[in-house]
Amino acid sequence: MSKIDTTARIADGAVIGEGTEIGPFCIIGPHVVIGNNCKLIGQVTVIGHTSIGYGCVISPFAVLGGAPQDLSYKGEPTKLEIGSGCTIREGATMNVGTIKGGGLTRVGNDGYFMNNSHVGHDCMVGNNVIFATSATLGGHCEIGDAVYIGGLSAVHQFTRIGPYVMVGGVCGVRDDVIPYGLVNGQYAVLEGLNLIGMKRRKFTKQRLATVRAFYQKLFHGPATFAERLEAARPLAGGDPAIGEILDFIGKGKRPLCLPAIAK
C-alpha cells in the first residue's frame, strides 16, 4: 500500500501507485498519476496533467507540471511525462507543454536532475541524462540519451543536443551539438569528442580512432565546412557513430555548434 503523510494534500482524481511514499506537506493535483514505488520526500508539488513512472525519488521543493513560462499559454490541459527511475533533487522544475509546441514535455528514464535544474515546456529529454546544479533548458529543446549538462549551463530554446554529449559548466549553448560532442566556453564551442563517454559505451580503440579521424576531416580539414561535410557523407558507413553524426547534421534546421577556428 501507499504511505501518505497526514500533512500531504492529495486532490480527488490523483492516482498514487502501490508502494509509493508521499512525505510531509506534498501537494498532488487532481490530474496527476504517480507510478509504483516512488518516494516524494517532502514539500514536493506535482500539478497539471503530469505522469511519473515507477521508482522515482523526488526531493523537497521540486515543482513538476507547472505552467509553461510562455506568454501564449492560457491554461490548456497540456502534459508532462516523466519516465521511471529518475532522481529529481531539491528545487528542480519541469513544465507542461504548450499547444503550439505539441502539448507535451517528455523526460525519459533514469535521469538525474540536480538541485534547481529546469526542463522547459515542450522539451524532449532522453534516457540516462545528468543535469548538474542549475542546468537549464529553454522551451522546445531536444536532448539525446546519456547527455551530461554541466552546472549553471543554459540551453537556448529549440536547440538539439545529440546523444552522449558532454556540456561543460557555465556554458550558453545556442547551436545544435553533434552526437558524442564535447562543448565548452561561455558561448559554447565544440572542443572535440566526448571520449570519456565513448569509452564508457565500450568503444574499442579502433572505433575511437575511426571516429576521431572522421571528426578531424569534418571539422579541421581544408576547404569550407560545407565542402568538408559534402566530402564526408560517403563515410557514413565507416562506423555507426559517424552515421549518427551525419544524420543529425542532415536533420538540423538551426546553426551547428562548431569549433572556434571552424566558424
Side-chain angles (χ1 to χ4, degrees), residues 65 113 241:
F113 299 88

Side-chain angles (χ1 to χ4, degrees), residues 13-14 17 29-30 36 45 52 58 60 78-79 89 104 108 112 116 132 166 169 171 182 199 246 261:
N36 297 342
T45 299
I52 300 173
I58 306 171
T78 52
K79 298 179 180 180
R89 295 298 301 269
L104 174 64
Y112 194 101
N116 300 306
M166 178 174 286
C171 284
L182 170 66
K199 290 175 182 178
L246 290 172
I261 61 172

Side-chain angles (χ1 to χ4, degrees), residues 68 73 81 120 132 214 229 238 248:
Y73 182 71
E81 295 179 358
F214 161 79
L229 177 60
F248 180 90

